[in-house]
Amino acid sequence: MTEPAIDDIELEESGQLYEHFRIVADKGQVPLRVDKFLFDHLQYSSRNRIQKAADAGFVHVNDHPVKSNYKVRPMDVVTLMLDRPRYDDTIEAEDIPLNVIYEDDDLMVINKEAGMVVHPGCGNYHGTLVNAVAWHLRGMSTYDPNDPEVGLVHRIDKDTSGLLVVAKTADAKTKLGVQFFNKTTHRSYHAMVWGNFTEDEGRIEGNIGRDPKDRLRMSVFPPDSEIGKPAVTHYRVLERFGYVTLVECILETGRTHQIRAHMKHIGHPLFGDERYGGTEILRGERSASYKAFVQNGFRLCPRQALHAKTLGFVHPTTGRQMDFSSELPDDMKQLVEKWRGYINGTTRDTFEES
């Protein structure tokens, strides 16, 4: 469901209300004020506006309006009811090319290009991967792109490239979803990050939740805190370039912006990741030639240098292990070659350790 734009509405009571957002609290939900609970789940809304919505009777729990200080408990159904109909976010089939690397009656695996939004919402209501899948499967009478029981099993960010699995049937989505929930799938990413590593591999653990100062960014919080959701990323150095490093990241969990936030947290933002500070020259020389070299790298790969390279899961019908791998896209290939060429012409002991 498309997230409501609370900041753009007049919060006045007016009779009929329309559901704009619904979420069911987890079984392990600790008591938490409903305004804080919604603030953690609504990316584009401020806590102050949520509180005003509650004062106006627009925040409901289990079909009854509640005030901001209501404590959300396990399995509570929290809804935002507004005084105007929701934006019509019906998914329409659109003739958009897809790179389908595997397909059968139950599922399809897609190698998504960078720049493509995965799902409609928040200003991107057309031209998404979901619209493209709807067109690709338009001849399949049993596939309804507006049915949440089929379709995307997981997501990757707009400017991240790589592998995704789409379920064609409800049974396939349920069984694949269980594998993702139980962390039995295998996913690895390749990323170019700023800085060198003292170790060849490592583990990053820290809860991930929305940054209270920037709702479009995620922050990392202590694992034992009640803020955010637990997240673990394993990384392994693939190639060192002195001031940047190519790493493999393996997800133990799958949180929003997990790799981007975790790498930022340990001081190694992704190269080109504007939201997490990766478009600044964070390591290296002060010379004009080096600065020009890095800026050229930003132009070659004008996004976070992150690619979902491998994906593995058990087929929901046959029970066979399915493993897929994809090549780095051209922009990341060129970026790697550019840095490889740079260090081949530079004395390695001039590089900083970080």
Side-chain angles (χ1 to χ4, degrees):
M1 180 178 292
T2 301
E3 183 175 311
I6 298 181
D7 292 342
D8 295 334
I9 66 169
E10 293 297 326
L11 299 178
E12 297 177 357
E13 303 208 46
S14 61
Q16 183 175 3
L17 297 179
Y18 304 86
E19 182 179 304
H20 279 239
F21 182 80
R22 170 183 291 260
I23 187 169
V24 180
D26 295 337
K27 290 182 179 179
Q29 176 67 49
V30 297
L32 183 68
R33 283 176 58 113
V34 70
D35 56 339
K36 178 65 169 61
F37 180 84
L38 283 175
F39 179 70
D40 289 342
H41 289 88
L42 293 175
Q43 179 175 349
Y44 296 97
S45 301
S46 69
R47 191 167 178 180
N48 180 258
R49 296 295 289 181
I50 293 171
Q51 290 170 345
K52 289 183 178 180
D55 291 342
F58 292 152
V59 175
H60 290 207
V61 175
N62 303 325
D63 297 324
H64 297 287
V66 297
K67 297 301 182 184
S68 299
N69 60 358
Y70 175 86
K71 296 292 183 66
V72 177
R73 292 169 173 78
M75 305 309 294
D76 272 352
V77 180
V78 182
T79 53
L80 182 64
M81 309 293 292
L82 301 182
D83 54 1
R84 62 182 174 88
R86 284 179 48 235
Y87 177 89
D88 183 7
D89 56 359
T90 301
I91 295 169
E92 299 177 356
E94 298 179 23
D95 187 4
I96 302 168
L98 280 177
N99 183 6
V100 180
I101 65 171
Y102 176 83
E103 183 173 10
D104 61 28
D105 292 339
D106 299 292
L107 57 90
M108 55 195 297
V109 176
I110 297 168
N111 188 13
K112 185 187 84 70
E113 65 181 26
M116 174 180 274
V117 176
V118 170
H119 196 280
C122 301
N124 297 290
Y125 298 108
H126 300 284
T128 74
L129 182 136
V130 167
N131 296 112
V133 169
W135 178 271
H136 184 83
L137 299 179
R138 65 193 184 283
M140 186 177 179
S141 60
T142 56
Y143 183 84
D144 179 0
N146 293 287
D147 182 356
E149 293 188 354
V150 297
L152 286 173
V153 181
H154 61 119
R155 305 184 185 190
I156 58 178
D157 296 334
K158 171 187 174 183
D159 288 325
T160 298
S161 55
L163 300 176
L164 285 165
V165 61
V166 175
K168 292 184 177 182
T169 69
D171 184 62
K173 185 168 184 180
T174 297
K175 290 179 179 178
L176 288 168
V178 168
Q179 293 181 53
F180 276 86
F181 180 80
N182 290 333
K183 305 169 188 170
T184 58
T185 59
H186 304 283
R187 288 180 289 166
S188 73
Y189 292 70
H190 281 192
M192 182 77 84
V193 304
W194 278 105
N196 206 350
F197 290 82
T198 56
E199 306 294 336
D200 288 334
E201 57 186 33
R203 180 178 185 274
I204 310 168
E205 181 175 7
N207 290 9
I208 290 181
R210 296 219 174 269
D211 186 331
K213 297 180 180 179
D214 183 350
R215 305 297 294 153
L216 301 180
R217 185 172 62 188
M218 308 303 285
S219 286
V220 179
F221 302 91
D224 57 353
S225 71
E226 296 180 357
I227 306 174
K229 294 184 177 181
V232 176
T233 302
H234 301 268
Y235 68 86
R236 179 172 66 92
V237 171
L238 297 176
E239 191 168 357
R240 298 175 185 272
F241 302 106
Y243 303 130
V244 297
T245 307
L246 182 66
V247 296
E248 176 188 45
C249 295
I250 298 177
L251 298 181
E252 192 172 304
T253 54
R255 309 302 183 198
T256 301
H257 295 187
Q258 178 170 322
I259 293 172
R260 299 166 68 188
H262 268 171
M263 283 295 168
K264 165 74 172 179
H265 180 66
I266 65 169
H268 296 283
L270 270 62
F271 187 91
D273 192 346
E274 182 176 9
R275 189 159 302 284
Y276 290 88
T279 52
E280 301 293 329
I281 300 178
L282 300 178
R283 300 288 192 280
E285 307 164 12
R286 296 183 179 182
S287 67
S289 60
Y290 175 75
K291 291 178 181 178
F293 165 81
V294 174
Q295 290 299 332
N296 190 28
F298 290 147
R299 286 190 291 272
L300 278 177
C301 187
R303 61 174 179 109
Q304 67 260 12
L306 181 63
H307 177 68
K309 195 171 192 306
T310 69
L311 174 63
F313 54 84
V314 174
H315 194 282
T317 300
T318 67
R320 296 199 327 266
Q321 178 66 36
M322 309 287 287
D323 293 295
F324 302 93
S325 181
S326 61
E327 294 295 323
L328 285 180
D330 287 342
D331 58 354
M332 283 189 65
K333 279 184 180 178
Q334 292 179 46
L335 184 64
V336 170
E337 287 301 321
K338 183 178 179 64
W339 277 100
R340 189 175 287 144
Y342 181 81
I343 66 163
N344 286 340
T346 306
T347 304
R348 286 178 178 270
D349 60 12
T350 64
F351 296 139
E352 300 174 343
E353 291 294 325
S354 61

